[in-house]
Amino acid sequence: CWDGTYSYQRCCREVGEAVDINAVEDISQLGGCELNIFQEFKARSGAWYRNGTPNLVLFQEFGYIARRFDSMYRSCAPAALTALLMKLESIYFEEDAVWTALYAHYTEQHHEAVANGALLQSHHVNGWPLVDGLRKINALRALRPPGEPRRTT
């Protein structure tokens, strides 16, 4: 499961029924935000945004979730949206057009999740760090000098 990084308990749907999430095309078939992979990601990403606590597993997780965004979004919209926020933070120094396109995608997906009921107030109450993450990326962008385009070389 996830290249052998995680335990049997993390990757199992039910006792005795191991699931390789890499072999599942649509993770939403396995459940929603209650899945351990999402709950652990929530805890680690919350620690990152609230306390600045880095974690190598967290950086692997957000990349994995972001790469499988559509499937993850169907299963647990808050996890997929949190992964996009972390991706935005990680590409802060990218060219403006790249960052802005991903920010627009995040904004659209966030509004869609609210509109279709996939993102609820209870997700915020239960610890998904979406507000903290959004504040962090907005603060990073505000640090950029006005009129100075970001370019990669």
Side-chain angles (χ1 to χ4, degrees):
C1 183
W2 285 18
D3 302 323
T5 307
Y6 300 100
S7 68
Y8 177 82
Q9 291 80 12
R10 176 178 180 122
C11 301
C12 297
R13 187 168 155 192
E14 295 176 14
V15 176
E17 187 180 341
V19 175
D20 178 359
I21 64 169
N22 291 312
V24 177
E25 187 173 320
D26 186 357
I27 195 169
S28 66
Q29 298 168 357
L30 303 176
C33 291
E34 76 281 357
L35 292 172
N36 284 345
I37 58 170
F38 296 132
Q39 290 299 307
E40 291 177 16
F41 176 63
K42 176 177 69 175
R44 281 189 274 275
S45 59
W48 170 252
Y49 282 122
R50 292 181 189 109
N51 310 319
T53 307
N55 185 307
L56 290 176
V57 173
L58 172 64
F59 297 116
Q60 292 173 343
E61 284 174 332
F62 94 75
Y64 181 83
I65 293 170
R67 282 189 304 278
R68 296 182 72 186
F69 180 83
D70 292 338
S71 175
M72 298 295 180
Y73 182 85
R74 283 190 298 275
S75 185
C76 183
L81 292 168
T82 301
L84 280 186
L85 288 170
M86 296 193 80
K87 176 80 174 166
L88 282 162
E89 186 177 348
S90 75
I91 67 166
Y92 169 69
F93 293 106
E94 287 283 342
E95 196 171 302
D96 238 5
V98 172
W99 193 92
T100 302
L102 186 58
Y103 188 80
H105 179 65
Y106 168 82
T107 303
E108 290 169 11
Q109 294 301 311
H110 183 273
H111 284 279
E112 185 177 302
V114 170
N116 69 23
L119 181 60
L120 305 170
Q121 176 63 26
S122 62
H123 290 119
H124 295 280
V125 171
N126 289 329
W128 284 102
L130 294 164
V131 174
D132 295 324
L134 188 58
R135 283 184 183 134
K136 186 165 187 177
I137 63 164
N138 285 333
L140 282 172
R141 291 306 276 185
L143 293 174
R144 194 179 103 203
E148 186 177 307
R150 275 232 193 265
R151 291 190 175 92
T152 55
T153 55

